[in-house]
Amino acid sequence: MKDSPEPDSSEKRLRFGCGFLFGGFIGFIFALREIATFSGNFWVFVAGIALFFGYLAMRKGDEFWHSLADWLRWW
């Protein structure tokens, strides 16, 4: 049983937006390390990571951010 109620649409948009921005940043950094030229594949990779992070942040909420923080502390 869940402890918290289902988030409303504005909270889902906020979660997705924050995850999307963070994912875009992370995707950009990782792509810069691996790809020397700014080709179409570069931007597809960055957009894909941004969408993936946005989706996870929207679905998992604080659980996503806590697990991401734990991973970054380990790294």
Side-chain angles (χ1 to χ4, degrees), residues 1-7 11 15 59-63:
M1 187 167 184
K2 286 184 156 185
D3 292 348
S4 60
E6 185 69 25
E11 185 173 348
R15 287 180 180 183
R59 296 292 291 168
K60 299 295 183 178
D62 287 341
E63 181 183 341

Side-chain angles (χ1 to χ4, degrees), residues 5-75:
E6 185 69 25
D8 62 351
S9 62
S10 63
E11 185 173 348
K12 285 184 179 182
R13 284 192 302 268
L14 180 64
R15 287 180 180 183
F16 182 82
C18 291
F20 183 83
L21 290 175
F22 187 75
F25 175 73
I26 294 296
F28 187 79
I29 297 300
F30 277 111
L32 278 179
R33 288 177 31 180
E34 301 299 326
I35 301 173
T37 61
F38 288 97
S39 65
N41 293 337
F42 176 85
W43 295 113
V44 169
F45 176 77
V46 171
I49 295 296
L51 288 171
F52 182 65
F53 272 52
Y55 175 76
L56 288 177
M58 181 183 69
R59 296 292 291 168
K60 299 295 183 178
D62 287 341
E63 181 183 341
F64 168 73
W65 294 109
H66 288 289
S67 62
L68 185 64
D70 290 341
W71 181 78
L72 288 174
R73 270 189 287 253
W74 172 81
W75 188 50

